[in-house]
Amino acid sequence: MLEVRNLCKNYRATPALVGVSFTVGTGELFGLLGPNGAGKTTLMSIASGLLDATSGEVVLAGQRFDRRDRDQRRRIGIVPQDLAIYPQLSARENLRFFGQLYGIAGAELEQRVARILAAIALTDRADDRADTFSGGMKRRLNLGAALVHKPEVLLLDEPTTGVDPQSRNHIFAEVRRLNAAGLTVVYTSHYMEEVQALCPRVGIIDHGRLIACDRVQTLLRRMTGTIRFRASGVDEALRREIQTLNGVRAIRDNAGQIEIEADDAKATLVSAIGLLNARQIAVTELNMNEPDLEDVFLHLTGTALRD
């Protein structure tokens, strides 16, 4: 549905995007993550027709995207990082306004507005001004405004910035529902746990470059997990036996605490506990750490996340 080909964008002498390429399949929920300033918003602005690229191209449903083509642009809905709603208008008036911009009117517009108000849980506040809303309610209205024209591709740029946990969960649920109904979604965030929870496949961008693009589980396999436990009676023979378990990279004894580094920490833990049980060795302390996308990011870039 969406293809980015060797996209570059320079702001004067400063490169914001450097040869970024990836594809998003029809009906896919694709995550684009990275720290603030990585180039995510610039990329989303180009993909939605708000900016011209310095070079490269965006292909939408097999056709080269031209931001001056109104028919192509109406196939895209964008939820920008900065709120794009009118605070003096009510929730209903905001949705009507954005629908009218796309030429929707009459009973069809009213039906769409009513459905969206229900979907974003604002029916009870439909006729209240947006400037009376909490941050989370404004974010949900921002999402609704991008949906009123029934886009085929939804671009979400940091859609949960500054929202409360309840609104964040509601946005997550709505994104999942929309995607399950067939909408292609690109979800950008520097909150990596959000992208990991929502998106089966992700791209990681930093300093304007796409440094990885793969399924989440494949990216996580680049890192090892760690198991730590204490148990009396773990001798050298048992440590060697644990070392031979499939996927074990290393085993260390740190002053009586056994530490195992393994490709699949869960599977290794089950096998290691089996060996301990066979010898009737009781575990007195146990914890396990599995890698997440932030670990992958730090591994790939060698830098901490930047807020």
Side-chain angles (χ1 to χ4, degrees):
M1 176 58 77
L2 184 69
E3 185 176 0
V4 174
R5 296 177 177 171
N6 200 30
L7 209 60
C8 296
K9 178 63 178 179
N10 298 327
Y11 294 105
R12 296 183 180 177
T14 304
L17 294 174
V18 185
V20 174
S21 298
F22 62 87
T23 60
V24 181
T26 301
E28 185 175 6
L29 176 46
F30 178 81
L32 187 65
L33 50 77
N36 285 338
K40 303 186 304 297
T41 295
T42 296
L43 195 154
M44 297 288 264
S45 296
I46 294 171
S48 61
L50 298 175
L51 278 179
D52 280 321
T54 301
S55 62
E57 64 181 359
V58 174
V59 178
L60 179 65
Q63 295 184 330
R64 191 178 191 277
F65 180 64
D66 181 352
R67 76 189 191 101
R68 286 158 288 277
D69 187 328
R70 294 173 66 89
D71 289 334
Q72 282 190 315
R73 289 182 66 164
R74 71 165 49 244
R75 302 176 75 173
I76 296 172
I78 181 166
V79 179
Q81 183 174 357
D82 295 324
L83 290 171
I85 56 176
Y86 290 92
Q88 297 84 6
L89 299 181
S90 70
R92 192 188 310 276
E93 288 167 339
N94 266 284
L95 296 179
R96 280 175 178 161
F97 173 76
F98 285 106
Q100 288 166 352
L101 289 179
Y102 285 95
I104 309 165
E108 181 185 5
L109 176 59
E110 294 306 312
Q111 290 170 2
R112 291 193 190 186
V113 167
R115 282 197 299 267
I116 290 172
L117 286 169
I120 60 176
L122 287 178
T123 300
D124 292 344
R125 299 291 300 275
D127 298 310
D128 293 344
R129 284 171 44 134
D131 59 6
T132 67
F133 290 174
S134 67
M137 294 166 68
K138 290 175 182 177
R139 286 286 169 188
R140 280 151 36 208
L141 181 57
N142 208 39
L143 172 61
L147 297 172
V148 70
H149 64 293
K150 293 185 177 179
E152 297 172 43
V153 179
L154 179 63
L155 306 178
L156 298 166
D157 189 6
E158 307 280 2
T160 62
T161 299
V163 307
D164 57 272
Q166 290 82 4
S167 288
R168 178 177 284 110
N169 287 338
H170 191 92
I171 289 172
F172 285 0
E174 185 60 14
V175 169
R176 289 189 178 105
R177 186 192 68 80
L178 291 165
N179 179 246
L183 182 64
T184 302
V185 180
V186 179
Y187 189 105
T188 79
S189 180
H190 67 280
Y191 297 126
M192 299 200 178
E193 68 279 6
E194 289 190 0
V195 176
Q196 184 171 342
L198 285 171
C199 306
R201 193 169 69 94
V202 302
I204 300 176
I205 190 169
D206 191 32
H207 295 300
R209 299 178 184 273
L210 191 72
I211 58 176
C213 186
D214 214 326
R215 294 188 64 80
V216 169
Q217 293 306 312
T218 302
L219 290 172
L220 293 180
R221 283 198 291 270
R222 296 188 181 196
M223 306 293 294
T224 57
T226 304
I227 302 163
R228 296 181 182 89
F229 68 89
R230 290 188 182 275
S232 59
V234 178
D235 56 18
E236 180 61 28
L238 180 54
R239 285 196 292 272
R240 284 198 301 268
E241 197 170 354
I242 293 173
Q243 178 72 69
T244 63
L245 292 174
N246 186 39
V248 171
R249 299 287 188 90
I251 180 169
R252 294 175 285 272
D253 188 339
N254 299 318
Q257 183 185 67
I258 307 301
E259 181 177 295
I260 305 169
E261 185 179 332
D263 293 332
D264 187 336
K266 284 182 179 177
T268 299
L269 176 59
V270 171
S271 298
I273 292 297
L275 293 176
L276 292 168
N277 287 340
R279 296 194 180 198
Q280 297 184 333
I281 296 175
V283 174
T284 58
E285 179 183 316
L286 174 66
N287 65 73
M288 180 180 68
N289 294 317
E290 292 188 289
D292 57 21
L293 278 178
E294 185 167 334
D295 294 322
V296 174
F297 182 90
L298 296 176
H299 174 72
L300 291 172
T301 66
T303 60
L305 296 182
R306 297 177 292 281
D307 291 325

